[in-house]
Amino acid sequence: MTAVNPLAVLMPGFEGPTLPEWVARRLSEGMGGVCLFATNVESPSQLRELTAAIREANPRAVISIDEEGGDVSRLYQAQGSPFPGNALLGRLDDPAITRAVGAQVGWELREVGVNLTLAPDVDINTNVANPVIGVRSFGATPELVAAHGVAWTEGVQSTGVAANAKHFPGHGDTAQDSHVSLPTVDADLATLREREFLPFQAAIDAGVASLMSSHIMVPAIDAENPATFSHAILTDLLRGEMGFDGAIVSDALDMVGASGEIGIPAAAARALAAGCDLLCIGTKNTDAQMSEIVAAIEAALEAGTLSGERLQDASRRIGRLVDTTLDAPEVPAHLTRGAIPGLDTTALRAGFQMADAVAARLSQVTPGDVAWVRLEPAANIAVGPSPWGPFASGVTADAVVSPDSGLGSWSPAPKQTVIVVGKDNHRHAWAREAIDALRRFDPIVVDMGWPDLTAPYADIATFGASRFAGQALIEVLA
C-alpha cells in the first residue's frame, strides 16, 4: 500500500504532567509528535522531564504547544502571561519589540524542550464581534499584521523553535468560533487577496517553518469544503499560487468545525488528502482514537481517496520541519523567564487607548478608594481558564458579574471610584447591562479584550488581558 507509517503524521494531545504509556508506545512506533496543553504543564523542570521522555521514545518527535505570548499561553496559563500579546504589540507598532517577544518565547520553549510553537496568529481582526481571534491578532489592517507576524516569526525561529502562522486562509472576519461551529468568510476573492492572504504571504517569504489550516468556509475559493479539507485552498492556492513549501499543520481535528459531523478519523483522512501534513488531533486523545485514525487513513489509501504519494509527501515535510530545529543556538546561560528586553509596564501603557476626559479623572483617583467590579465572561476556548488582567496580580474584585450572576444589590462605599473591568464588553449583553446599571456611580470602564470603540463600553482599552497588561493597568489607575 505505502511504505509510510500513518502514525508518522499524527500529533495528539493527552492529559497530565507525565507521559502516558500509550503515548510513549505510539511514539516508539513512529508517531510524529504530541501537542502539549495547560494540563501538561506544572513547572519548567517538570516540563523538561516530560519532553525528555517524549524524545526518549522518539528522538525526532515534533513537540508543539500553543504559546502565542499573550492571552493564549500554555507556559503561563496557571499564572497569567507575562507577555503583552499580539494586539498590544500591534498598537505599540515597534517590530523590534515584537521580534524580542518572539525570541523570548522561543528561548523559554527551547529551555523546556519544545520545538514548535503554534504561533504567531496572523489573522486580521476586521470583525469587532469576532469571538475567538480578537486580541490574538496584531491588528485590523493587513500591512500591520504582516509586519508584526514576520517580526514575531523571525524572533522565535532565531532560537531554533519552529513558528506556525495561523489560521490560513484567515479567521479574522468571522463572528463564530470554529471550536463550536463552522464559520464562513464571505469576502470575495479580490478582497481576500488584498487582505487575508497578505500576512501569510509575508510569513512565507520570511521563511516561516509551518502554517496552520483553519476550519472555516471560504466560498469564494471553495464552496464545498472547509479550508482544512480543501485541496483548492491548501494545495492549489497555498502550495501552488503562494509558493509555501513548509509543513501544513491542521487545527485541532476535535473541533466542531472539523469533525462535528464526520468524526475525527474521517476528518484526518480528508485533511491529509487536501494537503495537511501534520494532524493536530486535539486534547484528551486516546490510544483507541489513534487506532481508529490509522484505520481511516489506511481505508482512504485502499479506496484511492488518499494517495500513497501524498502520505509520503506529508511525512517528508514533517521531517524537514524537525530538521530546521536541530541546528539551534545555545539557550542563554542565565535566561530570565517572562522578561522582554526593552519593554516594561511604562512602555506597554503606550498601547492603551484612553479618552482625555478619563485621563483627567485618573489624576483625582485615590488608589485606596477604588471599588473593582470584575466582568467575568465564559473562558474563550482557545485561551482556556487562566488568571487575567489586574486580578492575576493580586487585585481582589469587590463585585463579580458573570453571564449567570448579576450585580444584585451591590453598591460602592461613599466616595469610591468604581472601576469596571471586562473583556470584549460590547459583545456580551449581560456585561452591557451591568455597565449600564453602574452608570449611576459614574464608573471608569475598562475593556481588556478587543473593544468596539464606537460603543460606550471602553473608557480605557488595553487590547489584551495578560498579567503583564494587568500590571500596566494597575499602574495607570494608581
Side-chain angles (χ1 to χ4, degrees):
M1 190 180 298
T2 177
V4 175
N5 180 356
L7 280 172
V9 300
L10 304 189
M11 187 175 69
F14 58 89
E15 290 279 279
T18 58
L19 190 64
E21 182 280 331
W22 74 265
V23 179
R25 172 170 43 80
R26 291 293 191 178
L27 286 165
S28 68
E29 293 169 352
M31 189 165 70
V34 297
C35 186
L36 302 177
F37 293 88
T39 181
N40 307 122
V41 180
E42 289 183 343
S43 69
S45 59
Q46 166 271 324
L47 192 51
R48 279 194 298 271
E49 291 179 5
L50 175 58
T51 59
I54 293 168
R55 288 223 164 76
E56 183 178 357
N58 181 352
R60 289 183 58 82
V62 175
I63 305 177
S64 71
I65 198 166
D66 240 346
E67 183 56 58
E68 296 181 7
D71 285 33
V72 177
S73 176
R74 304 302 178 232
L75 289 180
Y76 292 97
Q77 189 157 340
Q79 304 93 359
S81 175
F83 305 122
N86 288 356
L88 257 175
L89 290 172
R91 295 273 301 174
L92 295 174
D93 198 15
D94 184 340
I97 291 177
T98 300
R99 192 175 294 107
V101 172
Q104 181 68 25
V105 168
W107 288 126
E108 294 195 31
L109 292 177
R110 273 285 310 287
E111 186 190 36
V112 296
V114 172
N115 58 8
L116 171 64
T117 183
L118 301 177
D121 188 319
V122 297
D123 298 307
I124 305 164
N125 201 72
T126 53
N127 189 336
V128 295
N130 197 314
V132 68
I133 304 302
V135 296
R136 301 167 67 195
S137 168
F138 289 108
T141 64
E143 295 79 12
L144 181 69
V145 175
H148 289 274
V150 166
W152 206 97
T153 295
E154 291 173 344
V156 76
Q157 292 193 165
S158 72
T159 70
V161 173
N164 178 257
K166 62 187 184 185
H167 307 78
F168 189 80
H171 205 320
D173 190 17
T174 63
Q176 298 83 34
D177 181 351
S178 53
H179 290 86
V180 296
S181 64
L182 180 58
T184 297
V185 173
D186 284 320
D188 59 39
L189 188 55
T191 299
L192 293 170
R193 291 188 191 283
E194 294 173 1
R195 191 177 65 183
E196 269 71 14
F197 298 171
L198 194 150
F200 290 99
Q201 188 66 66
I204 292 168
D205 294 343
V208 69
S210 67
L211 263 68
M212 178 177 283
S213 68
S214 60
H215 310 321
I216 61 173
M217 294 295 299
V218 189
I221 310 172
D222 187 336
E224 304 295 328
N225 303 291
T228 296
F229 303 147
S230 173
H231 189 278
I233 290 174
L234 298 185
T235 300
D236 297 340
L237 172 63
L238 183 55
R239 293 283 189 215
E241 182 177 328
M242 298 178 69
F244 180 58
D245 196 39
I248 300 176
V249 182
S250 76
D251 207 345
L253 294 179
D254 63 350
M255 292 165 60
V256 171
S259 58
E261 295 185 359
I262 62 175
I264 295 174
R270 285 185 62 185
L272 275 173
C276 286
D277 303 307
L278 183 59
L279 304 181
C280 181
I281 310 302
T283 52
K284 302 175 183 179
N285 298 132
T286 65
D287 190 28
Q289 281 181 321
M290 299 310 104
S291 295
E292 293 168 359
I293 294 169
V294 167
I297 292 171
E298 290 176 340
L301 290 165
E302 187 69 31
T305 54
L306 172 66
S307 71
E309 292 76 12
R310 170 79 273 275
L311 187 57
Q312 290 170 345
D313 177 57
S315 178
R316 184 165 53 248
R317 291 181 189 278
I318 295 168
R320 281 165 39 195
L321 172 66
V322 173
D323 288 343
T324 66
T325 69
L326 296 180
D327 186 19
E330 291 294 322
V331 177
H334 302 288
L335 180 66
T336 303
R337 298 189 190 95
I340 310 300
L343 183 62
D344 58 20
T345 49
T346 301
L348 191 67
R349 295 200 300 269
F352 290 6
Q353 175 101 3
M354 188 187 315
D356 291 341
V358 175
R361 277 194 67 190
L362 290 177
S363 66
Q364 307 301 316
V365 173
T366 303
D369 290 332
V370 167
W372 294 85
V373 178
R374 174 173 178 164
L375 304 180
E376 188 69 59
N380 179 304
I381 294 174
V383 175
S386 181
W388 61 275
F391 314 109
S393 296
V395 168
T396 300
D398 298 279
V400 179
V401 183
S402 72
D404 301 317
S405 64
L407 274 168
S409 59
W410 181 87
S411 62
K415 298 185 179 180
Q416 279 190 315
T417 301
V418 177
I419 309 293
V420 186
V421 186
K423 294 188 283 188
D424 301 337
N425 296 338
H426 64 285
R427 289 202 304 108
H428 308 295
W430 60 270
R432 298 192 302 269
E433 291 169 4
I435 294 168
D436 290 340
L438 289 164
R439 297 287 185 198
R440 65 187 186 277
F441 303 120
D442 194 21
I444 295 174
V445 180
V446 181
D447 192 332
M448 302 198 76
W450 188 283
D452 180 355
L453 295 176
T454 67
Y457 299 104
D459 299 322
I460 301 173
T462 66
F463 293 86
S466 71
R467 174 163 49 92
F468 192 19
Q471 290 168 343
L473 175 65
I474 291 170
E475 292 176 13
V476 166
L477 299 175

